[in-house]
Amino acid sequence: MPVYLNTVQLGGSNPVYLVPDPSNQYILIACLGSGSIVAVRREVDGSLGSVDYQYVFPGNEEAQKMTCPHQVYYDLSEKYLVVSLKGTKKTTIPAKEGLAVFKFTPEGGFEEIYSISGRNFDHCRHVAIHPNNKVVYQINELHSCVISLYLDNATGHMTPFQISQT
C-alpha cells in the first residue's frame, strides 16, 4: 500500500513528467505550464526535499507562455537529458519548439548543451530512444508525425534523417 510522504512547491506549474537523475539524488520534472524544468532533492527517507535547480526556457518571461516542456528523458547511457518542447516560433517571443539536450549534475544543476528546432506548429510531445542509443524518435502532436534523429553519443547533438506520418 502506498504511503504518503510529503509535497513540495515546485516554483512551476503543471508538472507533467518526471525522472530520477542517474545519482538518484534528484527528481527532474518538466513543468509544462511555467515553461521550466526543476530538480527536486530526494531525501534519504524517499520524501521530496528542496527545489535546488530550475531552468526556465526562453519565451516564458512574459505572461504569454510559449515554450512548454512536455517530457524529460535520459538517453540510455544516462549522459544526456532530452527535453521535448512545444512552442511557437512564428511569434515575437523567442519560444523553443523541438528538443533541448542537457547535462545534469548534482553539483551544478542543468547545463544546456544543444538544442534542435522542430517544425513550426508540430507541437513536440515525447521522445523514445532506440536500444542502440543512436536514434531518437520524437512524436509530434499537430502534424501526427514522428521525426527520427541520429544521436551523437560523444556530443549529444542530433541530426534528423526521417519524418514518418503516424
Side-chain angles (χ1 to χ4, degrees):
M1 180 118 197
V3 175
Y4 171 81
L5 296 176
N6 71 327
T7 60
V8 296
Q9 292 297 318
L10 296 177
S13 64
N14 196 6
V16 292
Y17 204 93
L18 58 88
V19 65
D21 82 300
S23 73
N24 209 21
Q25 296 176 52
Y26 284 90
I27 300 295
L28 310 178
I29 304 168
C31 296
L32 181 133
S34 56
S36 63
I37 52 177
V38 298
V40 179
R41 179 175 296 280
R42 289 191 65 215
E43 301 298 345
V44 175
D45 67 357
S47 64
L48 299 173
S50 59
V51 176
D52 289 354
Y53 301 105
Q54 180 180 40
Y55 182 93
V56 178
F57 288 94
N60 293 294
E61 298 82 10
E62 314 236 350
Q64 182 183 13
K65 294 177 175 40
M66 299 300 294
T67 302
C68 302
H70 275 265
Q71 183 186 28
V72 288
Y73 193 81
Y74 270 103
D75 74 310
L76 301 181
S77 69
E78 295 185 323
K79 184 176 179 182
Y80 302 113
L81 180 70
V82 180
V83 182
S84 184
L85 302 168
K86 178 189 82 123
T88 305
K89 294 187 297 185
K90 292 183 179 178
T91 66
T92 57
I93 299 172
K96 289 190 176 187
E97 167 90 29
L99 299 174
V101 181
F102 289 82
K103 286 192 175 182
F104 177 83
T105 61
E107 304 78 30
F110 297 105
E111 175 192 359
E112 185 173 5
I113 58 168
Y114 181 73
S115 66
I116 185 166
S117 294
R119 299 179 324 163
N120 204 30
F121 300 112
D122 265 357
H123 290 195
C124 307
R125 290 295 181 181
H126 294 280
V127 297
I129 298 179
H130 190 278
N132 68 12
N133 208 42
K134 295 179 182 178
V135 179
V136 175
Y137 303 101
Q138 173 191 324
I139 187 83
N140 296 289
E141 177 184 13
L142 292 185
H143 290 134
S144 301
C145 67
V146 174
I147 298 177
S148 301
L149 307 101
Y150 291 118
L151 172 62
D152 182 331
N153 288 297
T155 65
H157 292 201
M158 296 183 203
T159 306
F161 67 89
Q162 183 179 32
I163 298 173
S164 306
Q165 291 305 122
T166 58

